[in-house]
Amino acid sequence: MIRQIWPPEDGRELDLAELEDLYRFPDVAKWLVVNFVSSTDGAITVGGRSRPLSTAPDRVVFKLGSDLADVVLLGAGTAVIEEFDGVHPGKETADRRRRHGLEPIPPIAVVTTGASLPPSAPVLTEAAVPTLVITSERAPRDLREAWKSAGAEVIVAGEDEVALDLAVAALTERGLRRIDCEGGPRLFASLAEAGLVDEFRLTVAPFLVAGTADRAAVGGAFDPVELALATVLTDGASLLTRYLAP
């Protein structure tokens, strides 16, 4: 059972319907959520992958992120390393999306400058709906054509690097205003640096990892941003937090 412990006046056990209500996106022009799971000592991967850190309650709220979004945003490195093949809804997801007036399947939007996304990547070839590849003018034209041949729609946003403000604008112009970002750390840092993150959802899993694993945000150059703690949930082991950006 998952229990809300913050704010303290709202402390109670939550069923799945209440979790769904808590994690749904607000009805605004654009809302960008970033999701991460980390060990208690701050590692976001084990052996280069995040899945070994994910706990049962983390999987519940992580699924709510994509289930309630218009689009899932990923860095190409994360998409390839995690062998992400898009969203393939089961009955629960299909029912949930129908109740919220969402399209049956959210597309994946992958951010890449080029080499990090091979045309054979499962996120392109196995996705249930066409993947959006967001890239820059620097990406070779033959590679862009190969992405298209693999079934993707290519969006050019920026010249040498991907301009994330233009990328997010391109998504919202397509009606994809509820954006669920599932990593990686460099994309998160770049989104934060551009002031595009509205909510940060972090699960602290009860593991000690040590080593040299990345933190949730890597790179970027900006002064510390103070976040507002919105909610904290727990099953007695994991902590499921939600922070709002100013």
Side-chain angles (χ1 to χ4, degrees), residues 13-39:
E13 291 183 346
L14 302 178
D15 60 23
L16 188 55
E18 290 170 312
L19 284 169
E20 182 178 308
D21 186 60
L22 186 67
Y23 278 81
R24 68 180 178 181
F25 287 68
D27 188 15
V28 295
K30 184 275 292 181
W31 194 261
L32 193 153
V33 171
V34 176
N35 289 275
F36 270 92
V37 59
S38 83
S39 66

mmCIF file with all atom_site columns, all heavy atoms in Angstrom, residues 13-39:
data_model
loop_
_atom_site.group_PDB
_atom_site.id
_atom_site.type_symbol
_atom_site.label_atom_id
_atom_site.label_alt_id
_atom_site.label_comp_id
_atom_site.label_asym_id
_atom_site.label_entity_id
_atom_site.label_seq_id
_atom_site.pdbx_PDB_ins_code
_atom_site.Cartn_x
_atom_site.Cartn_y
_atom_site.Cartn_z
_atom_site.occupancy
_atom_site.B_iso_or_equiv
_atom_site.pdbx_formal_charge
_atom_site.auth_seq_id
_atom_site.auth_comp_id
_atom_site.auth_asym_id
_atom_site.auth_atom_id
_atom_site.pdbx_PDB_model_num
ATOM 1   N N   . GLU A 1 13 ? -3.615 6.556  3.155   1.00 0.00 ? 13 GLU A N   1
ATOM 2   C CA  . GLU A 1 13 ? -3.317 5.554  2.153   1.00 0.00 ? 13 GLU A CA  1
ATOM 3   C C   . GLU A 1 13 ? -4.084 5.883  0.875   1.00 0.00 ? 13 GLU A C   1
ATOM 4   O O   . GLU A 1 13 ? -5.227 6.341  0.928   1.00 0.00 ? 13 GLU A O   1
ATOM 5   C CB  . GLU A 1 13 ? -3.693 4.167  2.663   1.00 0.00 ? 13 GLU A CB  1
ATOM 6   C CG  . GLU A 1 13 ? -2.783 3.698  3.794   1.00 0.00 ? 13 GLU A CG  1
ATOM 7   C CD  . GLU A 1 13 ? -3.105 2.285  4.249   1.00 0.00 ? 13 GLU A CD  1
ATOM 8   O OE1 . GLU A 1 13 ? -4.187 1.786  3.872   1.00 0.00 ? 13 GLU A OE1 1
ATOM 9   O OE2 . GLU A 1 13 ? -2.277 1.698  4.974   1.00 0.00 ? 13 GLU A OE2 1
ATOM 10  N N   . LEU A 1 14 ? -3.429 5.674  -0.269  1.00 0.00 ? 14 LEU A N   1
ATOM 11  C CA  . LEU A 1 14 ? -4.018 6.032  -1.558  1.00 0.00 ? 14 LEU A CA  1
ATOM 12  C C   . LEU A 1 14 ? -4.278 4.784  -2.386  1.00 0.00 ? 14 LEU A C   1
ATOM 13  O O   . LEU A 1 14 ? -3.392 3.930  -2.517  1.00 0.00 ? 14 LEU A O   1
ATOM 14  C CB  . LEU A 1 14 ? -3.079 6.961  -2.340  1.00 0.00 ? 14 LEU A CB  1
ATOM 15  C CG  . LEU A 1 14 ? -2.681 8.281  -1.664  1.00 0.00 ? 14 LEU A CG  1
ATOM 16  C CD1 . LEU A 1 14 ? -1.712 9.046  -2.567  1.00 0.00 ? 14 LEU A CD1 1
ATOM 17  C CD2 . LEU A 1 14 ? -3.898 9.129  -1.361  1.00 0.00 ? 14 LEU A CD2 1
ATOM 18  N N   . ASP A 1 15 ? -5.475 4.697  -2.953  1.00 0.00 ? 15 ASP A N   1
ATOM 19  C CA  . ASP A 1 15 ? -5.730 3.623  -3.894  1.00 0.00 ? 15 ASP A CA  1
ATOM 20  C C   . ASP A 1 15 ? -5.313 4.088  -5.289  1.00 0.00 ? 15 ASP A C   1
ATOM 21  O O   . ASP A 1 15 ? -4.857 5.224  -5.478  1.00 0.00 ? 15 ASP A O   1
ATOM 22  C CB  . ASP A 1 15 ? -7.194 3.178  -3.861  1.00 0.00 ? 15 ASP A CB  1
ATOM 23  C CG  . ASP A 1 15 ? -8.181 4.290  -4.209  1.00 0.00 ? 15 ASP A CG  1
ATOM 24  O OD1 . ASP A 1 15 ? -7.780 5.258  -4.889  1.00 0.00 ? 15 ASP A OD1 1
ATOM 25  O OD2 . ASP A 1 15 ? -9.357 4.181  -3.806  1.00 0.00 ? 15 ASP A OD2 1
ATOM 26  N N   . LEU A 1 16 ? -5.461 3.227  -6.287  1.00 0.00 ? 16 LEU A N   1
ATOM 27  C CA  . LEU A 1 16 ? -4.956 3.547  -7.623  1.00 0.00 ? 16 LEU A CA  1
ATOM 28  C C   . LEU A 1 16 ? -5.686 4.740  -8.226  1.00 0.00 ? 16 LEU A C   1
ATOM 29  O O   . LEU A 1 16 ? -5.059 5.576  -8.908  1.00 0.00 ? 16 LEU A O   1
ATOM 30  C CB  . LEU A 1 16 ? -5.093 2.328  -8.544  1.00 0.00 ? 16 LEU A CB  1
ATOM 31  C CG  . LEU A 1 16 ? -4.443 2.443  -9.920  1.00 0.00 ? 16 LEU A CG  1
ATOM 32  C CD1 . LEU A 1 16 ? -2.957 2.792  -9.805  1.00 0.00 ? 16 LEU A CD1 1
ATOM 33  C CD2 . LEU A 1 16 ? -4.626 1.153  -10.705 1.00 0.00 ? 16 LEU A CD2 1
ATOM 34  N N   . ALA A 1 17 ? -6.984 4.869  -7.979  1.00 0.00 ? 17 ALA A N   1
ATOM 35  C CA  . ALA A 1 17 ? -7.735 6.009  -8.514  1.00 0.00 ? 17 ALA A CA  1
ATOM 36  C C   . ALA A 1 17 ? -7.229 7.316  -7.927  1.00 0.00 ? 17 ALA A C   1
ATOM 37  O O   . ALA A 1 17 ? -7.119 8.329  -8.628  1.00 0.00 ? 17 ALA A O   1
ATOM 38  C CB  . ALA A 1 17 ? -9.229 5.838  -8.235  1.00 0.00 ? 17 ALA A CB  1
ATOM 39  N N   . GLU A 1 18 ? -6.893 7.319  -6.631  1.00 0.00 ? 18 GLU A N   1
ATOM 40  C CA  . GLU A 1 18 ? -6.375 8.530  -5.995  1.00 0.00 ? 18 GLU A CA  1
ATOM 41  C C   . GLU A 1 18 ? -4.973 8.849  -6.495  1.00 0.00 ? 18 GLU A C   1
ATOM 42  O O   . GLU A 1 18 ? -4.615 10.024 -6.664  1.00 0.00 ? 18 GLU A O   1
ATOM 43  C CB  . GLU A 1 18 ? -6.391 8.358  -4.477  1.00 0.00 ? 18 GLU A CB  1
ATOM 44  C CG  . GLU A 1 18 ? -7.794 8.336  -3.884  1.00 0.00 ? 18 GLU A CG  1
ATOM 45  C CD  . GLU A 1 18 ? -7.801 7.929  -2.430  1.00 0.00 ? 18 GLU A CD  1
ATOM 46  O OE1 . GLU A 1 18 ? -7.148 6.920  -2.083  1.00 0.00 ? 18 GLU A OE1 1
ATOM 47  O OE2 . GLU A 1 18 ? -8.485 8.609  -1.624  1.00 0.00 ? 18 GLU A OE2 1
ATOM 48  N N   . LEU A 1 19 ? -4.164 7.820  -6.743  1.00 0.00 ? 19 LEU A N   1
ATOM 49  C CA  . LEU A 1 19 ? -2.842 8.045  -7.328  1.00 0.00 ? 19 LEU A CA  1
ATOM 50  C C   . LEU A 1 19 ? -2.965 8.650  -8.722  1.00 0.00 ? 19 LEU A C   1
ATOM 51  O O   . LEU A 1 19 ? -2.230 9.567  -9.082  1.00 0.00 ? 19 LEU A O   1
ATOM 52  C CB  . LEU A 1 19 ? -2.054 6.733  -7.396  1.00 0.00 ? 19 LEU A CB  1
ATOM 53  C CG  . LEU A 1 19 ? -1.468 6.203  -6.102  1.00 0.00 ? 19 LEU A CG  1
ATOM 54  C CD1 . LEU A 1 19 ? -0.959 4.787  -6.303  1.00 0.00 ? 19 LEU A CD1 1
ATOM 55  C CD2 . LEU A 1 19 ? -0.354 7.105  -5.592  1.00 0.00 ? 19 LEU A CD2 1
ATOM 56  N N   . GLU A 1 20 ? -3.890 8.133  -9.495  1.00 0.00 ? 20 GLU A N   1
ATOM 57  C CA  . GLU A 1 20 ? -4.118 8.650  -10.840 1.00 0.00 ? 20 GLU A CA  1
ATOM 58  C C   . GLU A 1 20 ? -4.505 10.127 -10.792 1.00 0.00 ? 20 GLU A C   1
ATOM 59  O O   . GLU A 1 20 ? -4.019 10.936 -11.592 1.00 0.00 ? 20 GLU A O   1
ATOM 60  C CB  . GLU A 1 20 ? -5.225 7.837  -11.499 1.00 0.00 ? 20 GLU A CB  1
ATOM 61  C CG  . GLU A 1 20 ? -5.531 8.228  -12.925 1.00 0.00 ? 20 GLU A CG  1
ATOM 62  C CD  . GLU A 1 20 ? -6.596 7.336  -13.521 1.00 0.00 ? 20 GLU A CD  1
ATOM 63  O OE1 . GLU A 1 20 ? -6.441 6.089  -13.450 1.00 0.00 ? 20 GLU A OE1 1
ATOM 64  O OE2 . GLU A 1 20 ? -7.585 7.861  -14.072 1.00 0.00 ? 20 GLU A OE2 1
ATOM 65  N N   . ASP A 1 21 ? -5.340 10.488 -9.837  1.00 0.00 ? 21 ASP A N   1
ATOM 66  C CA  . ASP A 1 21 ? -5.748 11.881 -9.698  1.00 0.00 ? 21 ASP A CA  1
ATOM 67  C C   . ASP A 1 21 ? -4.572 12.759 -9.274  1.00 0.00 ? 21 ASP A C   1
ATOM 68  O O   . ASP A 1 21 ? -4.409 13.882 -9.764  1.00 0.00 ? 21 ASP A O   1
ATOM 69  C CB  . ASP A 1 21 ? -6.877 11.984 -8.680  1.00 0.00 ? 21 ASP A CB  1
ATOM 70  C CG  . ASP A 1 21 ? -7.459 13.386 -8.590  1.00 0.00 ? 21 ASP A CG  1
ATOM 71  O OD1 . ASP A 1 21 ? -7.969 13.888 -9.613  1.00 0.00 ? 21 ASP A OD1 1
ATOM 72  O OD2 . ASP A 1 21 ? -7.388 13.997 -7.505  1.00 0.00 ? 21 ASP A OD2 1
ATOM 73  N N   . LEU A 1 22 ? -3.720 12.239 -8.395  1.00 0.00 ? 22 LEU A N   1
ATOM 74  C CA  . LEU A 1 22 ? -2.573 13.004 -7.902  1.00 0.00 ? 22 LEU A CA  1
ATOM 75  C C   . LEU A 1 22 ? -1.540 13.243 -8.993  1.00 0.00 ? 22 LEU A C   1
ATOM 76  O O   . LEU A 1 22 ? -0.920 14.308 -9.060  1.00 0.00 ? 22 LEU A O   1
ATOM 77  C CB  . LEU A 1 22 ? -1.928 12.257 -6.734  1.00 0.00 ? 22 LEU A CB  1
ATOM 78  C CG  . LEU A 1 22 ? -0.796 12.973 -5.986  1.00 0.00 ? 22 LEU A CG  1
ATOM 79  C CD1 . LEU A 1 22 ? -1.324 14.207 -5.242  1.00 0.00 ? 22 LEU A CD1 1
ATOM 80  C CD2 . LEU A 1 22 ? -0.129 12.020 -4.995  1.00 0.00 ? 22 LEU A CD2 1
ATOM 81  N N   . TYR A 1 23 ? -1.365 12.253 -9.882  1.00 0.00 ? 23 TYR A N   1
ATOM 82  C CA  . TYR A 1 23 ? -0.301 12.318 -10.889 1.00 0.00 ? 23 TYR A CA  1
ATOM 83  C C   . TYR A 1 23 ? -0.781 12.805 -12.255 1.00 0.00 ? 23 TYR A C   1
ATOM 84  O O   . TYR A 1 23 ? 0.024  12.860 -13.188 1.00 0.00 ? 23 TYR A O   1
ATOM 85  C CB  . TYR A 1 23 ? 0.378  10.951 -11.019 1.00 0.00 ? 23 TYR A CB  1
ATOM 86  C CG  . TYR A 1 23 ? 1.422  10.733 -9.949  1.00 0.00 ? 23 TYR A CG  1
ATOM 87  C CD1 . TYR A 1 23 ? 1.054  10.317 -8.668  1.00 0.00 ? 23 TYR A CD1 1
ATOM 88  C CD2 . TYR A 1 23 ? 2.768  10.974 -10.189 1.00 0.00 ? 23 TYR A CD2 1
ATOM 89  C CE1 . TYR A 1 23 ? 1.998  10.136 -7.665  1.00 0.00 ? 23 TYR A CE1 1
ATOM 90  C CE2 . TYR A 1 23 ? 3.721  10.797 -9.204  1.00 0.00 ? 23 TYR A CE2 1
ATOM 91  C CZ  . TYR A 1 23 ? 3.333  10.376 -7.937  1.00 0.00 ? 23 TYR A CZ  1
ATOM 92  O OH  . TYR A 1 23 ? 4.267  10.219 -6.949  1.00 0.00 ? 23 TYR A OH  1
ATOM 93  N N   . ARG A 1 24 ? -2.020 13.170 -12.395 1.00 0.00 ? 24 ARG A N   1
ATOM 94  C CA  . ARG A 1 24 ? -2.465 13.667 -13.690 1.00 0.00 ? 24 ARG A CA  1
ATOM 95  C C   . ARG A 1 24 ? -1.881 15.049 -13.961 1.00 0.00 ? 24 ARG A C   1
ATOM 96  O O   . ARG A 1 24 ? -1.521 15.785 -13.032 1.00 0.00 ? 24 ARG A O   1
ATOM 97  C CB  . ARG A 1 24 ? -3.985 13.711 -13.767 1.00 0.00 ? 24 ARG A CB  1
ATOM 98  C CG  . ARG A 1 24 ? -4.640 14.734 -12.856 1.00 0.00 ? 24 ARG A CG  1
ATOM 99  C CD  . ARG A 1 24 ? -6.148 14.683 -13.011 1.00 0.00 ? 24 ARG A CD  1
ATOM 100 N NE  . ARG A 1 24 ? -6.797 15.626 -12.122 1.00 0.00 ? 24 ARG A NE  1
ATOM 101 C CZ  . ARG A 1 24 ? -8.120 15.780 -12.047 1.00 0.00 ? 24 ARG A CZ  1
ATOM 102 N NH1 . ARG A 1 24 ? -8.916 15.049 -12.813 1.00 0.00 ? 24 ARG A NH1 1
ATOM 103 N NH2 . ARG A 1 24 ? -8.639 16.663 -11.225 1.00 0.00 ? 24 ARG A NH2 1
ATOM 104 N N   . PHE A 1 25 ? -1.777 15.402 -15.215 1.00 0.00 ? 25 PHE A N   1
ATOM 105 C CA  . PHE A 1 25 ? -1.191 16.674 -15.627 1.00 0.00 ? 25 PHE A CA  1
ATOM 106 C C   . PHE A 1 25 ? -2.217 17.797 -15.453 1.00 0.00 ? 25 PHE A C   1
ATOM 107 O O   . PHE A 1 25 ? -3.408 17.590 -15.699 1.00 0.00 ? 25 PHE A O   1
ATOM 108 C CB  . PHE A 1 25 ? -0.767 16.619 -17.094 1.00 0.00 ? 25 PHE A CB  1
ATOM 109 C CG  . PHE A 1 25 ? 0.458  15.783 -17.353 1.00 0.00 ? 25 PHE A CG  1
ATOM 110 C CD1 . PHE A 1 25 ? 0.430  14.401 -17.193 1.00 0.00 ? 25 PHE A CD1 1
ATOM 111 C CD2 . PHE A 1 25 ? 1.644  16.376 -17.765 1.00 0.00 ? 25 PHE A CD2 1
ATOM 112 C CE1 . PHE A 1 25 ? 1.550  13.623 -17.436 1.00 0.00 ? 25 PHE A CE1 1
ATOM 113 C CE2 . PHE A 1 25 ? 2.770  15.611 -18.017 1.00 0.00 ? 25 PHE A CE2 1
ATOM 114 C CZ  . PHE A 1 25 ? 2.728  14.230 -17.848 1.00 0.00 ? 25 PHE A CZ  1
ATOM 115 N N   . PRO A 1 26 ? -1.774 18.978 -15.051 1.00 0.00 ? 26 PRO A N   1
ATOM 116 C CA  . PRO A 1 26 ? -2.712 20.104 -14.956 1.00 0.00 ? 26 PRO A CA  1
ATOM 117 C C   . PRO A 1 26 ? -3.168 20.556 -16.337 1.00 0.00 ? 26 PRO A C   1
ATOM 118 O O   . PRO A 1 26 ? -2.484 20.330 -17.336 1.00 0.00 ? 26 PRO A O   1
ATOM 119 C CB  . PRO A 1 26 ? -1.880 21.196 -14.263 1.00 0.00 ? 26 PRO A CB  1
ATOM 120 C CG  . PRO A 1 26 ? -0.459 20.867 -14.588 1.00 0.00 ? 26 PRO A CG  1
ATOM 121 C CD  . PRO A 1 26 ? -0.407 19.363 -14.660 1.00 0.00 ? 26 PRO A CD  1
ATOM 122 N N   . ASP A 1 27 ? -4.310 21.200 -16.383 1.00 0.00 ? 27 ASP A N   1
ATOM 123 C CA  . ASP A 1 27 ? -4.887 21.647 -17.651 1.00 0.00 ? 27 ASP A CA  1
ATOM 124 C C   . ASP A 1 27 ? -4.334 23.023 -18.005 1.00 0.00 ? 27 ASP A C   1
ATOM 125 O O   . ASP A 1 27 ? -4.974 24.051 -17.812 1.00 0.00 ? 27 ASP A O   1
ATOM 126 C CB  . ASP A 1 27 ? -6.418 21.683 -17.544 1.00 0.00 ? 27 ASP A CB  1
ATOM 127 C CG  . ASP A 1 27 ? -7.078 21.952 -18.892 1.00 0.00 ? 27 ASP A CG  1
ATOM 128 O OD1 . ASP A 1 27 ? -6.388 21.828 -19.917 1.00 0.00 ? 27 ASP A OD1 1
ATOM 129 O OD2 . ASP A 1 27 ? -8.273 22.292 -18.910 1.00 0.00 ? 27 ASP A OD2 1
ATOM 130 N N   . VAL A 1 28 ? -3.111 23.035 -18.506 1.00 0.00 ? 28 VAL A N   1
ATOM 131 C CA  . VAL A 1 28 ? -2.425 24.276 -18.879 1.00 0.00 ? 28 VAL A CA  1
ATOM 132 C C   . VAL A 1 28 ? -1.852 24.115 -20.282 1.00 0.00 ? 28 VAL A C   1
ATOM 133 O O   . VAL A 1 28 ? -1.876 23.026 -20.860 1.00 0.00 ? 28 VAL A O   1
ATOM 134 C CB  . VAL A 1 28 ? -1.304 24.627 -17.874 1.00 0.00 ? 28 VAL A CB  1
ATOM 135 C CG1 . VAL A 1 28 ? -1.872 24.943 -16.498 1.00 0.00 ? 28 VAL A CG1 1
ATOM 136 C CG2 . VAL A 1 28 ? -0.284 23.482 -17.775 1.00 0.00 ? 28 VAL A CG2 1
ATOM 137 N N   . ALA A 1 29 ? -1.314 25.199 -20.829 1.00 0.00 ? 29 ALA A N   1
ATOM 138 C CA  . ALA A 1 29 ? -0.822 25.190 -22.210 1.00 0.00 ? 29 ALA A CA  1
ATOM 139 C C   . ALA A 1 29 ? 0.367  24.257 -22.399 1.00 0.00 ? 29 ALA A C   1
ATOM 140 O O   . ALA A 1 29 ? 0.540  23.668 -23.472 1.00 0.00 ? 29 ALA A O   1
ATOM 141 C CB  . ALA A 1 29 ? -0.449 26.611 -22.633 1.00 0.00 ? 29 ALA A CB  1
ATOM 142 N N   . LYS A 1 30 ? 1.208  24.112 -21.379 1.00 0.00 ? 30 LYS A N   1
ATOM 143 C CA  . LYS A 1 30 ? 2.363  23.214 -21.442 1.00 0.00 ? 30 LYS A CA  1
ATOM 144 C C   . LYS A 1 30 ? 2.750  22.797 -20.030 1.00 0.00 ? 30 LYS A C   1
ATOM 145 O O   . LYS A 1 30 ? 2.816  23.622 -19.129 1.00 0.00 ? 30 LYS A O   1
ATOM 146 C CB  . LYS A 1 30 ? 3.539  23.925 -22.119 1.00 0.00 ? 30 LYS A CB  1
ATOM 147 C CG  . LYS A 1 30 ? 4.800  23.053 -22.349 1.00 0.00 ? 30 LYS A CG  1
ATOM 148 C CD  . LYS A 1 30 ? 5.749  22.964 -21.166 1.00 0.00 ? 30 LYS A CD  1
ATOM 149 C CE  . LYS A 1 30 ? 6.455  24.249 -20.830 1.00 0.00 ? 30 LYS A CE  1
ATOM 150 N NZ  . LYS A 1 30 ? 7.405  24.080 -19.673 1.00 0.00 ? 30 LYS A NZ  1
ATOM 151 N N   . TRP A 1 31 ? 2.956  21.495 -19.838 1.00 0.00 ? 31 TRP A N   1
ATOM 152 C CA  . TRP A 1 31 ? 3.452  21.010 -18.546 1.00 0.00 ? 31 TRP A CA  1
ATOM 153 C C   . TRP A 1 31 ? 4.450  19.906 -18.819 1.00 0.00 ? 31 TRP A C   1
ATOM 154 O O   . TRP A 1 31 ? 4.120  18.885 -19.430 1.00 0.00 ? 31 TRP A O   1
ATOM 155 C CB  . TRP A 1 31 ? 2.317  20.492 -17.665 1.00 0.00 ? 31 TRP A CB  1
ATOM 156 C CG  . TRP A 1 31 ? 2.714  20.299 -16.225 1.00 0.00 ? 31 TRP A CG  1
ATOM 157 C CD1 . TRP A 1 31 ? 3.065  19.132 -15.614 1.00 0.00 ? 31 TRP A CD1 1
ATOM 158 C CD2 . TRP A 1 31 ? 2.802  21.307 -15.215 1.00 0.00 ? 31 TRP A CD2 1
ATOM 159 N NE1 . TRP A 1 31 ? 3.367  19.346 -14.286 1.00 0.00 ? 31 TRP A NE1 1
ATOM 160 C CE2 . TRP A 1 31 ? 3.211  20.681 -14.018 1.00 0.00 ? 31 TRP A CE2 1
ATOM 161 C CE3 . TRP A 1 31 ? 2.569  22.684 -15.206 1.00 0.00 ? 31 TRP A CE3 1
ATOM 162 C CZ2 . TRP A 1 31 ? 3.389  21.379 -12.821 1.00 0.00 ? 31 TRP A CZ2 1
ATOM 163 C CZ3 . TRP A 1 31 ? 2.756  23.379 -14.017 1.00 0.00 ? 31 TRP A CZ3 1
ATOM 164 C CH2 . TRP A 1 31 ? 3.159  22.737 -12.851 1.00 0.00 ? 31 TRP A CH2 1
ATOM 165 N N   . LEU A 1 32 ? 5.698  20.129 -18.406 1.00 0.00 ? 32 LEU A N   1
ATOM 166 C CA  . LEU A 1 32 ? 6.768  19.177 -18.674 1.00 0.00 ? 32 LEU A CA  1
ATOM 167 C C   . LEU A 1 32 ? 7.238  18.566 -17.358 1.00 0.00 ? 32 LEU A C   1
ATOM 168 O O   . LEU A 1 32 ? 7.719  19.271 -16.474 1.00 0.00 ? 32 LEU A O   1
ATOM 169 C CB  . LEU A 1 32 ? 7.921  19.854 -19.413 1.00 0.00 ? 32 LEU A CB  1
ATOM 170 C CG  . LEU A 1 32 ? 8.967  18.929 -20.040 1.00 0.00 ? 32 LEU A CG  1
ATOM 171 C CD1 . LEU A 1 32 ? 9.633  19.605 -21.241 1.00 0.00 ? 32 LEU A CD1 1
ATOM 172 C CD2 . LEU A 1 32 ? 10.050 18.506 -19.043 1.00 0.00 ? 32 LEU A CD2 1
ATOM 173 N N   . VAL A 1 33 ? 7.075  17.263 -17.262 1.00 0.00 ? 33 VAL A N   1
ATOM 174 C CA  . VAL A 1 33 ? 7.466  16.499 -16.077 1.00 0.00 ? 33 VAL A CA  1
ATOM 175 C C   . VAL A 1 33 ? 8.728  15.704 -16.391 1.00 0.00 ? 33 VAL A C   1
ATOM 176 O O   . VAL A 1 33 ? 8.842  15.112 -17.475 1.00 0.00 ? 33 VAL A O   1
ATOM 177 C CB  . VAL A 1 33 ? 6.336  15.528 -15.671 1.00 0.00 ? 33 VAL A CB  1
ATOM 178 C CG1 . VAL A 1 33 ? 6.806  14.565 -14.592 1.00 0.00 ? 33 VAL A CG1 1
ATOM 179 C CG2 . VAL A 1 33 ? 5.111  16.292 -15.215 1.00 0.00 ? 33 VAL A CG2 1
ATOM 180 N N   . VAL A 1 34 ? 9.666  15.672 -15.448 1.00 0.00 ? 34 VAL A N   1
ATOM 181 C CA  . VAL A 1 34 ? 10.859 14.828 -15.575 1.00 0.00 ? 34 VAL A CA  1
ATOM 182 C C   . VAL A 1 34 ? 10.791 13.741 -14.507 1.00 0.00 ? 34 VAL A C   1
ATOM 183 O O   . VAL A 1 34 ? 10.519 14.029 -13.337 1.00 0.00 ? 34 VAL A O   1
ATOM 184 C CB  . VAL A 1 34 ? 12.148 15.645 -15.422 1.00 0.00 ? 34 VAL A CB  1
ATOM 185 C CG1 . VAL A 1 34 ? 13.368 14.724 -15.462 1.00 0.00 ? 34 VAL A CG1 1
ATOM 186 C CG2 . VAL A 1 34 ? 12.261 16.691 -16.527 1.00 0.00 ? 34 VAL A CG2 1
ATOM 187 N N   . ASN A 1 35 ? 11.016 12.494 -14.898 1.00 0.00 ? 35 ASN A N   1
ATOM 188 C CA  . ASN A 1 35 ? 10.966 11.344 -13.996 1.00 0.00 ? 35 ASN A CA  1
ATOM 189 C C   . ASN A 1 35 ? 12.339 10.703 -13.839 1.00 0.00 ? 35 ASN A C   1
ATOM 190 O O   . ASN A 1 35 ? 13.019 10.457 -14.834 1.00 0.00 ? 35 ASN A O   1
ATOM 191 C CB  . ASN A 1 35 ? 10.028 10.271 -14.569 1.00 0.00 ? 35 ASN A CB  1
ATOM 192 C CG  . ASN A 1 35 ? 8.580  10.671 -14.518 1.00 0.00 ? 35 ASN A CG  1
ATOM 193 O OD1 . ASN A 1 35 ? 7.927  10.481 -13.509 1.00 0.00 ? 35 ASN A OD1 1
ATOM 194 N ND2 . ASN A 1 35 ? 8.076  11.213 -15.619 1.00 0.00 ? 35 ASN A ND2 1
ATOM 195 N N   . PHE A 1 36 ? 12.711 10.406 -12.591 1.00 0.00 ? 36 PHE A N   1
ATOM 196 C CA  . PHE A 1 36 ? 13.938 9.647  -12.330 1.00 0.00 ? 36 PHE A CA  1
ATOM 197 C C   . PHE A 1 36 ? 13.747 8.772  -11.104 1.00 0.00 ? 36 PHE A C   1
ATOM 198 O O   . PHE A 1 36 ? 12.931 9.082  -10.225 1.00 0.00 ? 36 PHE A O   1
ATOM 199 C CB  . PHE A 1 36 ? 15.129 10.582 -12.087 1.00 0.00 ? 36 PHE A CB  1
ATOM 200 C CG  . PHE A 1 36 ? 15.892 10.955 -13.330 1.00 0.00 ? 36 PHE A CG  1
ATOM 201 C CD1 . PHE A 1 36 ? 15.567 12.099 -14.035 1.00 0.00 ? 36 PHE A CD1 1
ATOM 202 C CD2 . PHE A 1 36 ? 16.914 10.147 -13.813 1.00 0.00 ? 36 PHE A CD2 1
ATOM 203 C CE1 . PHE A 1 36 ? 16.251 12.454 -15.185 1.00 0.00 ? 36 PHE A CE1 1
ATOM 204 C CE2 . PHE A 1 36 ? 17.602 10.491 -14.968 1.00 0.00 ? 36 PHE A CE2 1
ATOM 205 C CZ  . PHE A 1 36 ? 17.275 11.646 -15.651 1.00 0.00 ? 36 PHE A CZ  1
ATOM 206 N N   . VAL A 1 37 ? 14.514 7.691  -11.053 1.00 0.00 ? 37 VAL A N   1
ATOM 207 C CA  . VAL A 1 37 ? 14.654 6.891  -9.845  1.00 0.00 ? 37 VAL A CA  1
ATOM 208 C C   . VAL A 1 37 ? 16.130 6.890  -9.492  1.00 0.00 ? 37 VAL A C   1
ATOM 209 O O   . VAL A 1 37 ? 17.000 6.845  -10.371 1.00 0.00 ? 37 VAL A O   1
ATOM 210 C CB  . VAL A 1 37 ? 14.132 5.444  -10.048 1.00 0.00 ? 37 VAL A CB  1
ATOM 211 C CG1 . VAL A 1 37 ? 14.876 4.725  -11.158 1.00 0.00 ? 37 VAL A CG1 1
ATOM 212 C CG2 . VAL A 1 37 ? 14.199 4.656  -8.750  1.00 0.00 ? 37 VAL A CG2 1
ATOM 213 N N   . SER A 1 38 ? 16.432 6.994  -8.195  1.00 0.00 ? 38 SER A N   1
ATOM 214 C CA  . SER A 1 38 ? 17.825 6.957  -7.766  1.00 0.00 ? 38 SER A CA  1
ATOM 215 C C   . SER A 1 38 ? 17.956 6.096  -6.517  1.00 0.00 ? 38 SER A C   1
ATOM 216 O O   . SER A 1 38 ? 16.978 5.855  -5.801  1.00 0.00 ? 38 SER A O   1
ATOM 217 C CB  . SER A 1 38 ? 18.362 8.368  -7.481  1.00 0.00 ? 38 SER A CB  1
ATOM 218 O OG  . SER A 1 38 ? 18.017 8.794  -6.180  1.00 0.00 ? 38 SER A OG  1
ATOM 219 N N   . SER A 1 39 ? 19.185 5.625  -6.275  1.00 0.00 ? 39 SER A N   1
ATOM 220 C CA  . SER A 1 39 ? 19.486 4.948  -5.020  1.00 0.00 ? 39 SER A CA  1
ATOM 221 C C   . SER A 1 39 ? 19.523 5.982  -3.902  1.00 0.00 ? 39 SER A C   1
ATOM 222 O O   . SER A 1 39 ? 19.509 7.193  -4.146  1.00 0.00 ? 39 SER A O   1
ATOM 223 C CB  . SER A 1 39 ? 20.836 4.237  -5.122  1.00 0.00 ? 39 SER A CB  1
ATOM 224 O OG  . SER A 1 39 ? 21.882 5.204  -5.265  1.00 0.00 ? 39 SER A OG  1
#
